[in-house]
Amino acid sequence: MINTIYIEKEIANHPRTKMLIERFPNAAKITCERYTEIFNRKAQNFRLQKKNPALILAKKYKNMVLKAPNHYGIGAEHNYYFSHMLNCIYDCRYCFLQGMFQSAHYVLFINYEDFINEIKLILKKHSRENVHFFSGYDCDSLALDSISDFTKFFMPFFELNPSGLIELRTKSTQIRPLLRISPINNCVVAFSFTPNKISSTLEHKTSSVARRLEAIIELQKNGWQIGLRFDPLIYTKDFFIEYEELFDSIFSKINSKLLHSVSLGGFRLPKNYFRKIEKLYPDEILLTSPLTEKNNVLCYPDDIQDNMFSFCEKTIGQYVSPEKFFPCYEVI
Amino acid sequence: MAVHIFCALSCEAKPIIDNFNLIRLNEFDLFKIYQSIDKETSLIITNIGKVNAVEAVTYHHDNIKTSEYDIWLNIGIAGHENISIGEIRIINKIVDHEDQSCWYPQIIFNPPCNCIDLITLGKPSAEYQSCLYDMEASGFYFAATKYGTLELIHSLKIISDNNKAPISKINKNDVSNLVKNKINTINKILNELRLLSSEIKSTNKQPRDYENFLKKWHFSQTEKYQLLNLLQKHDVRFPENNFSEISETLKTGKQVLKKLRDKLNKTDFSLH
Ligand code: SF4
C-alpha cells in the first residue's frame, strides 16, 4: 500500500499523474521540484524505507533509452534499455538496486511519450536491423503494471513497430493486463528464476516458483512469447540438486518449443554496491558466499562459476536449442 | 538508542521534561540541556528561530554523545488557518521561507496523527495558511540530518493558534497544557521510531572475538576493517563455531586474516 506520494510540480497536472493519484485517495500527497530532492538525499536508510516505500511521480528529461552493457542480450546486435521506473516492490537480497540507490522509494517516470519518442529515433537509426529493448533493468517490468499502466501504453507501440523487440523482465504474476490484449510477437515476457529454496531464502515478497510457472503457462496458452532468465545463478552446496529440480519442474510444465530464449548469468555485484548491501544486511548469509573480486566486481571464483555454468548449459541444452540459449559468462 | 528532543520554548519543554523525568545538566550553559538518569532521553531548549535551532543541534551533538541510530524530535507549537487548537501533526515537508530550500522527513511508519507540510519563517506571522508555520523546523532538520538517519528525524507540531484564536490569546501555561495533552501521541511516535532504530542498530553488532583479536595481534587500520568484516561473516556462516580456537597457534594478524579468508572461501557453503 502506498501511504505517501511525492509529485514533481511540473507534472502535477499531467493526466497520468492525476489518474495515478486517484488510485491512492488516502495517501499523503507532497509536491517537490525534482524527485532527486528525495531520492538522492544522503543519510537515508534503504532497509528502513523498504518497509514502507513511497511513490514518487517524476519526469525523465535525458538518457531515457541507453545502450545495454556489451554482453547483455538475447540475439540482437543492438541492445538498449530504458527504465520507466526505479526500484521494485520485491526485495531480493542479491539485487543491485539496494547498492545503487540511496532510497527504496519507487520512482515512476510518467512521461511515457518521451520514452517512445526516443525509442522511435533509435529504431530509425537502426532501420532494417533488429533492436532489442530491455525494460526491467532498474525495476521489475510488471510488478506495478496495474498502477503504472506500462504495458497498456507501450504494447500498442511495439505492435506497430515490429523491428523493435521489447523484453519485460519480471518475477511477477500480475499478467492480467497482458491477457486482456492480443499477444505481440515482438514482446518477450521474461521470467527470472532461482530454485524454490533459494527463492524463499533470498527473493523476499516475490511470488513462488510454482505461481510464476502458472503465469507462464497461462501466457503461453494465450500466445505470448516467453523467456527464461536464470540470472543470477546462486551457488549453494546443493546447487546441482536444487537447479536440477528447478529445471525439471519448469521444463516438464511449460512448452519449451515455444520458448523465445533462455539466458544465464552468474551472481555479480560491483564492489561498492556489495559493501553497501553488507552494511544494510550484515546477517545475510548470501554475502558470506565464497566470492572473488574481478575488476571491482564481486563474483564467484572461476571453479564454482564454471561448474555452475557447465551443469546448467548441459541440462538446459536437453530442452532448448542452442540458437535460443544465451549464457552470459561475463561479470562486467 | 537515545532520543534527542528539541523545543524552542521552556513552556513547550516543561511537560516533556516532567514526563521523562529529565534533569538539568548544569555543566552546559550555552543552551539548557536536560537528560534522564539512564541518558536515554535528552532535551535541549533551542530558543526561538532557525539559526538558534541549528546551533542548538550542533551544540547538543558536540556535548551529548549521539549516534546514527538515535531519534531526533523537534516538538513545538505552530499556527494554521483552520486546524483545531490542540491537534498534533507530524511534518512531511519543511520549506525554509527565506531560501526556499526543502526537506522531506521520511515517515515510514503509520503515524498516530495526520501529516502536513510546514513553512519555517524568519519572523512571526499572523497570516494563516493551509500549511503550518513555525520558526525552527528548517534549522533543526538541516542540522540534525548531518548527524542522524533521515527516517529517525522528525518534527511534531501542536496547533496553538488559528484564524479564530490568534497567538496573542495564549500564555505559557496554555502552551504547556497543549503539549502535555499530546504526550501519549508523542510516546506512540517514539515507540514506532524506537523499533526502526533498533532494526538498524542491530546491523552494527560487533563480532564475538573482535576485541580479543585486537588485543592479541597487531592489525593496521585497513587490516582492522578487514578483520571486522571477516569475523562478521564468520559469525553468520558458522554461528556455532569459535574461530579463536583454531587461531591459537597463529603468530601475526596477517596470518589470522588469511586463515579467516581461507575458511570462508574453501568450506562448503550452504545458503540454507
Ligand atoms: S525482482 Fe528484480 S528488481 Fe525486484 S528486487 Fe528482485 S532482483 Fe531486484
Side-chain angles (χ1 to χ4, degrees), chain B residues 115-138:
Chain B
C115 312
I116 197 165
D117 51 338
L118 171 147
I119 298 177
T120 297
L121 299 171
K123 286 189 280 209
S125 165
E127 279 173 35
Y128 298 109
Q129 283 193 22
S130 60
C131 63
L132 297 187
Y133 279 146
D134 90 333
M135 292 176 68
E136 292 82 29
S138 71

Side-chain angles (χ1 to χ4, degrees), chain A residues 50 88-92 94-95 97 138-140 171 206:
Chain A
K50 201 73 194 165
C88 175
I89 60 169
Y90 305 132
D91 192 12
C92 304
Y94 52 73
C95 181
L97 300 178
D138 295 321
C139 64
D140 181 290
K171 289 190 183 89
T206 59

Side-chain angles (χ1 to χ4, degrees), chain A residues 127-187:
Chain A
S127 60
R128 279 188 232 111
E129 290 172 298
N130 284 332
V131 193
H132 288 180
F133 295 93
F134 296 89
S135 71
Y137 203 76
D138 295 321
C139 64
D140 181 290
S141 302
L142 292 183
L144 273 183
D145 197 30
S146 57
I147 292 168
S148 67
D149 282 342
F150 172 71
T151 54
K152 196 171 163 188
F153 187 85
F154 281 81
M155 290 303 105
F157 168 80
F158 278 95
E159 189 171 22
L160 295 173
N161 291 275
S163 65
L165 176 140
I166 180 165
E167 180 193 274
L168 306 173
R169 175 80 65 103
T170 192
K171 289 190 183 89
S172 168
T173 52
Q174 299 288 324
I175 53 169
R176 257 166 299 156
L178 290 179
L179 295 178
R180 275 200 284 266
I181 55 176
S182 316
I184 293 157
N185 260 340
N186 53 325
C187 170

Side-chain angles (χ1 to χ4, degrees), chain A residues 282-294:
Chain A
D283 288 341
E284 175 53 58
I285 185 109
L286 171 76
L287 306 177
T288 73
S289 304
L291 295 171
T292 188
E293 194 186 316
K294 283 184 192 167

Side-chain angles (χ1 to χ4, degrees), chain A residues 271 275 278 293, chain B residues 207 210 213-214 219-234 253-254 256-258 260-261 264:
Chain A
K271 192 174 160 187
R275 293 281 174 251
E278 258 183 343
E293 194 186 316
Chain B
Y210 183 64
F213 278 34
L214 290 187
F219 296 92
S220 68
Q221 271 316 107
T222 320
E223 286 170 346
K224 276 183 195 165
Y225 172 75
Q226 292 168 347
L227 177 72
L228 188 73
N229 187 274
L230 290 167
L231 281 176
Q232 248 162 8
K233 288 197 161 74
H234 185 271
K254 285 196 171 46
V256 173
L257 294 177
K258 182 172 182 307
L260 268 168
R261 272 195 203 100
L264 285 164

Side-chain angles (χ1 to χ4, degrees), chain A residues 2 27 36-37 44 63 90 176 182 225 232 239 261:
Chain A
I2 303 286
T36 46
E37 287 177 88
Q44 305 190 72
N63 299 330
Y90 305 132
R176 257 166 299 156
S182 316
Q225 303 237 53
F239 175 88
S261 52

